[in-house]
Amino acid sequence: MDKKNVTEPICAVDFAFRRIGGKYKGRILWYIFNHEVLRFGELKRYMDDITTKMLTQTLRELESDGLLHRKVYQEVPPKVEYTLTETSEKLIPFINQLREWGVAQMIKAKIPVRKH
Amino acid sequence: MDKKNVTEPICAVDFAFRRIGGKYKGRILWYIFNHEVLRFGELKRYMDDITTKMLTQTLRELESDGLLHRKVYQEVPPKVEYTLTETSEKLIPFINQLREWGVAQMIKAKIPVRKH
DNA sequence: CAGAATCCGGTTTGATACTG
DNA sequence: CAGTATCAAACCGGATTCTG
């Protein structure tokens, strides 16, 4: 997930999907949006199926793409808060619509829809 | 990209991203939408950076998820046409929104935006 | 608490050649 | 034309251990 952002995007759809098309990125943004701010450990609990390594890695990518703010509190025990940026806030309507589409599909397919 | 659709989705966002979050899926849907119907070879030319193997594989996944129609003409030389389904047509406004977000980001970052 | 570091298998993706 | 088949490389992602 490094070279992806180095090679020139073919088009804008390509560009966009490189930034949020990963396995966890959409959900991370969505969960943070819903709570306004989330700490590392909270986010990990919501994600439920992610390892610390992947979460760290994905958060760093989002941060370096300007889609997340990372605020470190210099205290013990450590505390780090993640919030959306102006740029990623603009993605929320898209994610939400996609989510609604997903809900509709899941109902049709009779897959239990869990809330978050 | 097989197990992805076997394990239970965590939530609707997860569900949706498994269906269109791959490296090429969004673009494939977008290009087909823009041309209404595309043949295998045409699509490959538009994608520009995909191998026949990946294109085949991705098309099959989209088809089995009910996001693409695949119409085979029994003639020589072979001819196969891909079109959107009702389900995937509902996704187009979102993909377009995402595309517009991408365009804005690319302009900001001074990355040349190519049309498709 | 919020990670960093390492090891390692599995999956994804790619190059190339071939076919009905 | 629309794919298959095969092999190899790259990347993803998980488990575990460790630390300021």
Side-chain angles (χ1 to χ4, degrees), chain A residues 1 3 23-24 49 51 53-54 78:
Chain A
M1 228 172 236
K3 257 228 309 271
K23 185 172 179 182
Y24 306 108
D49 61 337
T51 59
K53 184 191 153 192
M54 283 313 299

Side-chain angles (χ1 to χ4, degrees), chain B residues 77-96:
Chain B
K79 177 176 168 183
V80 180
E81 290 182 343
Y82 293 92
T83 48
L84 297 189
T85 63
E86 244 184 272
T87 307
S88 53
E89 272 171 14
K90 289 182 190 142
L91 283 171
I92 295 299
F94 315 152
I95 295 177
N96 189 34

Side-chain angles (χ1 to χ4, degrees), chain A residues 40 59-60 63 68-72 80-83 85:
Chain A
F40 185 90
L59 287 170
R60 291 287 139 75
E63 193 193 354
L68 279 186
H69 283 307
R70 179 167 178 272
K71 184 170 182 186
V72 182
V80 180
E81 288 182 345
Y82 293 93
T83 49
T85 62

Side-chain angles (χ1 to χ4, degrees), chain B residues 35 37-47 80-81:
Chain B
H35 296 84
V37 47
L38 278 180
R39 297 180 59 177
F40 185 90
E42 296 175 316
L43 189 50
K44 182 156 160 42
R45 272 190 294 285
Y46 287 120
M47 297 297 291
V80 180
E81 290 182 343

Side-chain angles (χ1 to χ4, degrees), chain B residues 49-88:
Chain B
D49 61 336
I50 198 172
T51 60
T52 62
K53 186 189 154 199
M54 281 313 298
L55 183 54
T56 304
Q57 190 179 309
T58 312
L59 287 170
R60 292 287 140 75
E61 285 175 23
L62 288 168
E63 193 193 354
S64 83
D65 283 341
L67 302 182
L68 278 186
H69 283 308
R70 177 167 178 271
K71 184 170 181 186
V72 182
Y73 291 83
Q74 287 299 348
E75 51 186 60
V76 181
K79 177 176 168 183
V80 180
E81 290 182 343
Y82 293 92
T83 48
L84 297 189
T85 63
E86 244 184 272
T87 307
S88 53

Side-chain angles (χ1 to χ4, degrees), chain B residues 1-3 23-24 51 53-54 78:
Chain B
M1 227 174 238
D2 257 343
K3 262 233 303 277
K23 186 171 176 181
Y24 305 108
T51 60
K53 186 189 154 199
M54 281 313 298

Side-chain angles (χ1 to χ4, degrees), chain A residues 9-105:
Chain A
I10 307 291
C11 69
V13 178
D14 185 31
F15 175 92
F17 270 98
R18 288 190 199 189
R19 262 144 194 82
I20 64 153
K23 185 172 179 182
Y24 306 108
K25 288 183 174 179
R27 275 159 71 206
I28 289 177
L29 296 176
W30 181 245
Y31 296 163
I32 293 179
F33 167 75
N34 277 284
H35 296 84
E36 284 189 61
V37 46
L38 278 180
R39 298 180 57 178
F40 185 90
E42 296 174 316
L43 190 50
K44 182 157 162 42
R45 274 191 293 284
Y46 287 119
M47 297 296 293
D48 178 53
D49 61 337
I50 198 172
T51 59
T52 61
K53 184 191 153 192
M54 283 313 299
L55 183 53
T56 304
Q57 190 180 309
T58 311
L59 287 170
R60 291 287 139 75
E61 284 175 22
L62 288 168
E63 193 193 354
S64 83
D65 282 341
L67 302 181
L68 279 186
H69 283 307
R70 179 167 178 272
K71 184 170 182 186
V72 182
Y73 292 83
Q74 288 300 349
E75 51 186 60
V76 181
K79 177 177 169 183
V80 180
E81 288 182 345
Y82 293 93
T83 49
L84 297 189
T85 62
E86 244 183 273
T87 306
S88 54
E89 272 171 14
K90 290 181 190 144
L91 281 172
I92 293 301
F94 162 77
I95 296 176
N96 189 36
Q97 285 175 324
L98 188 61
R99 197 195 102 263
E100 283 172 5
W101 176 89
V103 171
Q105 300 308 307

